[in-house]
Amino acid sequence: MAEALFSYLSDDILVSIFSKLDGSDPRHRAVLSSVCTRFCSLLRQHHRLLLPLPPSHHFPNDSTNTPEILLKLHFCCPGLLHAGVVSESGFGSEDPIGKRRKLCNQKEHLASGVWSLSREQGSKLLARQFRDDCLYICDWPGCLHLEEKRKYRLFRGVFVDFKETRVWKALNDGKNKVKRKVDVGGCAFCKSEESWDLHSAFCLRRVFGFHDDGEPVVRAFVCENGHVSGAWTDVPMYS
Amino acid sequence: MSGISDTERMITLKTVEGTLFDVKSSIAKDLKTVQAFIDDSDDDVTSPIPLPNVFTRELSRILDYLNNHHRFRSGIEKADEEMARYDAEFAKSMSHEELKALILAANYLNVKDLLEFLNQTVADVIQNKSVEFVRNFFGIENDYTPEEEEKLRNENEWAFNGVEQD
């Protein structure tokens, strides 16, 4: 009898029920999509209804921005590795007790902070000549990571139509093309292996400087699909 | 308002088991499927309207809900409070099986407000529950292969790791 009931429940009813769940928590979607293939397919079909997307933008529904990737961009912190704060060789803490805990901060995890992306935040990041490019970044304060040296506020975001942007053109400008590619363990969102350092490519605002130890105040990395991972740090009091 | 013939007109509904329910036409308006049937009939509907997909238990609950909500809405004070209290009791009084059966009936009869309320009730039930719980609730057989489940688990792992601070 119970099985029969499920087959009688129309897609409309199921979608209505899904839409009434607390949409701000991605774990619900993770659980529901694991229930059965029908739920997974409905969630994918109606993901725009269920996701807190900003009303003004429209992401083309293509392979570089699937529902799963868009979901991840909203809720998933890329972690210290993909945000370029630690390198793969520096993976893991020296302290044996802290080692396991630190490891989980270095890979992707549920972001703390605000779970929405805004274009305003994106345009604050870019140098003036790139302001026409459409970049969405998660809102301040990002996902806070307290490390030994300083606080890192990890952020993530995405360019709309990345291959049409001036940033993409700048990254692919002939002589500097290869130099700007970096290894941050791949993109946290689409697993693309190639990433570019936006800071050293002069795509970020000039006002972001460096700390005494040479670390940039703001760093950001972009993959070939326009997914951005990075970190803000507090501006030093004395330069 | 009394004395207007429309509000006194009674409609008779017949369930799967053959039970007859006399319903005021003002209540019947909320059963949009029934109302459409009435609107489509050229003459006044005198014989019982058959509801082949609706059982007595469900129709009784639906009419109870509608009668009470109409009563609250026509009252002057504290309607929202009373309605909220009634709705909470109404939801609590049903088992999960009864809740699901009621959704199917409310959907068939197209009772919009009740359906919204019932869907919210189900959302409240399954919120924060495990995959197994949700499958049991809906009577769903897992149709993923072990490989597919493993892939999903890996893809979703990040959502269950939170950032840890010192």
Side-chain angles (χ1 to χ4, degrees), chain B residues 78-98:
Chain B
K78 291 199 189 169
D80 285 346
E81 250 180 63
E82 288 215 46
M83 254 195 325
R85 215 173 317 157
Y86 172 81
D87 284 354
E89 276 309 309
F90 186 82
K92 250 197 290 187
S93 71
M94 288 185 285
S95 69
H96 290 169
E97 291 310 310
E98 289 167 353

Side-chain angles (χ1 to χ4, degrees), chain A residues 214-232:
Chain A
E215 273 201 39
V217 169
V218 181
R219 76 197 71 198
F221 301 90
V222 67
C223 78
E224 60 179 330
N225 294 317
H227 304 130
V228 174
S229 298
W232 293 299

Side-chain angles (χ1 to χ4, degrees), chain A residues 122-193:
Chain A
S123 61
K124 280 188 201 168
L125 198 64
L126 295 173
R128 184 181 293 170
Q129 66 267 40
F130 302 106
R131 291 286 169 83
D132 287 340
D133 290 344
C134 184
L135 169 63
Y136 281 85
I137 293 285
C138 70
D139 280 315
W140 181 268
C143 183
L144 180 62
H145 287 243
L146 298 169
E147 296 296 308
E148 261 176 56
K149 260 194 295 189
R150 56 179 54 92
K151 272 189 259 186
Y152 296 95
R153 300 176 190 280
L154 267 55
F155 59 82
R156 69 271 176 200
V158 59
F159 281 94
V160 178
D161 291 330
F162 185 50
K163 298 281 164 67
E164 314 297 317
T165 63
R166 287 189 179 184
V167 166
W168 177 247
K169 267 183 79 179
L171 294 177
N172 281 279
D173 146 39
K175 52 186 171 157
N176 288 316
K177 185 169 159 180
V178 172
K179 281 199 193 136
R180 289 181 200 135
K181 281 198 198 159
V182 292
D183 184 8
V184 287
C187 173
F189 303 102
C190 67
K191 309 302 174 203
S192 158
E193 283 173 10

